[in-house]
Amino acid sequence: MARLAQTHGLTDVQQEILATVRDFVDKEILPVATDLEHRDEYPQQIVDGLKELGVFGLMIPEEYGGLGESLLTYALCVEEIARGWMSVSGIINTHFIVAYMLKQHGTPEQKEYFLPRMAAGETRGAFSMSEPGLGSDVSAITSKAVRDGEEYVLDGQKMWLTNGGTSSLVAVLVRSDEGHPEGTAPHKSMTTFLVEKEPGFGEVRPGLTIPGKIDKMGYKGVDTTELVMDGLRIPANRVLGGVTGRGFYQMMDGVEVGRVNVAARGCGVAQRAFELGVSYAQQRHTFGKAIAQHQAIQFKLAEMATKVEAAHAMMVNAARKKDSGERNDLEAGMAKYLAAEYCKEVVEDAFRIHGGYGFSKEYEIERLYREAPMLLIGEGTAEIQKMIIGRRLLEEYRIQG
């Protein structure tokens, strides 16, 4: 076991789960990840293997067929999976956020109906907040739901759905003015709908179209899509929690745990970049000795390792705080911001250590170099994280009088 990024105080069960996932990553993901990524191919065999391991139900309560594990256990598993291939952690993370939102906010009927199938990996989740013109400004969404008897009619266009094609359940945030008078704050007139659909592209149910995969610089293999609703009819019992107007709070709760997992992804990718850099530095020779013997390279390795360790510690702290039942938006924002920034820097240093070979698609670091930037914008940009952190600090340190 490597010295870096150790987590103290884990139970025997947690250690066993992590060892199993790490073994799966080393044997089933790392050998094939770069080849699949270059072909932009969905990793069906890997996903099936994770389904067998029970990873899709890791945090779903045991009463619904899951393992009932903590956010910390889940985040440490995400860290391991991202170390193998970040795209795979994305397939799991969006599923997990929807399962978490159902567990926290769903009606008893919704939990009974969805969670056992989600735990088994049979129903796979995606969630949808963003739209083409708004980015992180969630309060400006224009997609809307209008009540029509026992149903709602949904119209609008959503953007950046991870798992948009392969999922069979999408949690969609739209504006719903029902019961909310003119002048109501935007975040109080939003509702989350649980939309079931067929996996695939095109019209996946009447009124719902998934146009196709968005072609991306990195983060390949996993499908990222738009979602177009045109007269999409959803029964009233598919409003998350059964009450309209709570969608913004439900989504923010989901994103809060999602940010811990983006931090975990950053930690995993950074760890892999360090492993590649420290290994290559001992094999490559210049001026009669391994480049690891040059002080310039040792300084790089020292900085990289320190960043890996610091990001891991912050991510673990944010997860433990949420598990204890405390508010963790400050810690999650800090962990996501730091882990993403450090990941980018560690990957770039590993890329520099590889020299010209870092630019070659034969070397794994080339893939990591294209994947790391996604973490700077996913689940809220670095700038959004800093806004959240700044506001929370001013709440905590408000001058009296």
Side-chain angles (χ1 to χ4, degrees):
M1 178 65 82
R3 172 76 181 269
L4 291 181
Q6 294 299 294
T7 313
H8 300 289
L10 297 180
T11 65
D12 290 345
V13 171
Q14 287 174 313
Q15 289 174 352
E16 191 180 328
I17 290 170
L18 281 175
T20 303
V21 172
R22 176 174 271 262
D23 187 57
F24 181 86
V25 167
D26 287 340
K27 289 177 180 169
E28 307 295 334
I29 299 182
L30 278 171
V32 299
T34 296
D35 189 41
L36 287 170
E37 198 270 351
H38 287 167
R39 296 205 303 270
D40 197 7
E41 185 177 317
Y42 186 79
Q44 189 61 57
Q45 210 170 334
I46 292 170
V47 170
D48 290 342
L50 290 171
K51 204 155 81 170
E52 281 178 39
L53 289 181
V55 171
F56 284 98
L58 203 55
M59 267 190 80
I60 293 174
E62 291 180 30
E63 64 194 279
Y64 299 110
L67 297 177
E69 270 297 330
S70 63
L71 177 60
L72 176 62
T73 310
Y74 182 80
L76 293 174
C77 288
V78 166
E79 183 179 40
E80 292 292 352
I81 291 164
R83 181 182 145 265
W85 184 14
M86 194 178 78
S87 293
V88 180
S89 65
I91 291 168
I92 295 160
N93 192 38
T94 44
H95 171 90
F96 151 76
I97 290 174
V98 178
Y100 174 83
M101 287 166 62
L102 270 161
K103 181 186 82 166
Q104 293 297 107
H105 307 287
T107 65
E109 183 271 332
Q110 289 167 352
K111 292 180 196 178
E112 290 285 349
Y113 181 77
F114 288 112
L115 287 179
R117 292 189 293 163
M118 293 186 83
E122 292 162 12
T123 293
R124 293 238 287 288
F127 77 107
S128 174
M129 286 195 297
S130 192
E131 294 182 2
L134 60 90
S136 295
D137 183 9
V138 180
S139 64
I141 67 171
T142 58
S143 299
K144 64 180 189 296
V146 177
R147 182 100 190 208
D148 182 21
E150 288 304 301
E151 293 181 318
Y152 287 86
V153 181
L154 276 58
D155 290 285
Q157 185 177 0
K158 307 299 280 185
M159 191 69 177
W160 306 120
L161 272 80
T162 301
N163 286 344
T166 43
S167 60
S168 45
L169 170 66
V170 186
V172 182
L173 185 68
V174 299
R175 188 169 301 292
S176 59
D177 295 325
E178 179 200 27
H180 306 292
E182 195 72 34
T184 300
H187 64 279
K188 291 183 177 175
S189 61
M190 294 186 193
T191 299
T192 304
F193 284 87
L194 301 167
V195 178
E196 294 175 88
K197 69 174 189 66
E198 288 298 315
F201 299 97
E203 191 169 24
V204 289
R205 70 176 276 177
L208 181 65
T209 301
I210 306 290
K213 290 202 301 187
I214 296 165
D215 197 14
K216 310 183 296 286
M217 172 176 83
Y219 200 39
K220 292 178 180 286
V222 58
D223 50 285
T224 306
T225 72
E226 297 174 71
L227 177 147
V228 180
M229 300 173 289
D230 183 11
L232 171 64
R233 290 188 164 270
I234 302 293
N237 67 359
R238 287 296 169 259
V239 170
L240 179 62
V243 181
T244 61
R246 299 288 303 160
F248 182 81
Y249 302 102
Q250 294 162 348
M251 282 279 178
M252 289 304 109
D253 189 26
V255 165
E256 204 171 278
V257 289
R259 281 184 181 138
V260 173
N261 287 288
V262 173
R265 286 195 233 181
C267 291
V269 174
Q271 279 179 49
R272 184 59 184 162
F274 175 79
E275 289 171 10
L276 295 172
V278 77
S279 172
Y280 185 82
Q282 293 170 79
Q283 295 167 46
R284 174 86 165 104
H285 285 70
T286 64
F287 307 107
K289 59 184 177 182
I291 63 171
Q293 298 305 312
H294 294 295
Q295 193 179 56
I297 300 298
Q298 287 180 12
F299 281 5
K300 273 197 193 309
L301 293 172
E303 289 170 5
M304 291 160 72
T306 303
K307 288 170 181 174
V308 165
E309 192 75 356
H312 176 83
M314 286 195 79
M315 179 271 291
V316 167
N317 178 54
R320 281 188 161 139
K321 189 140 195 189
K322 187 77 170 177
D323 282 333
S324 73
E326 293 180 75
R327 182 176 176 179
N328 87 329
D329 54 346
L330 178 65
E331 291 77 10
M334 284 180 166
K336 191 270 176 189
Y337 167 60
L338 189 88
E341 296 291 338
Y342 275 0
C343 174
K344 177 197 65 152
E345 292 168 15
V346 171
V347 167
E348 182 164 335
D349 277 342
F351 175 81
R352 288 170 186 259
I353 287 169
H354 279 74
Y357 289 109
F359 218 62
S360 163
K361 282 190 174 284
E362 282 183 46
Y363 282 75
E364 192 182 332
I365 192 63
E366 181 271 344
R367 167 169 67 81
L368 269 56
Y369 196 75
R370 288 182 290 102
E371 287 177 342
M374 200 287 288
L375 296 168
L376 301 172
I377 50 176
E379 308 285 6
T381 62
E383 289 69 27
I384 289 288
Q385 304 311 317
K386 287 191 274 191
M387 280 171 55
I388 293 167
I389 293 164
R391 285 175 189 162
R392 285 289 287 116
L393 290 172
L394 288 170
E395 282 176 31
E396 294 285 341
Y397 288 88
R398 181 172 285 120
I399 298 171
Q400 300 301 313

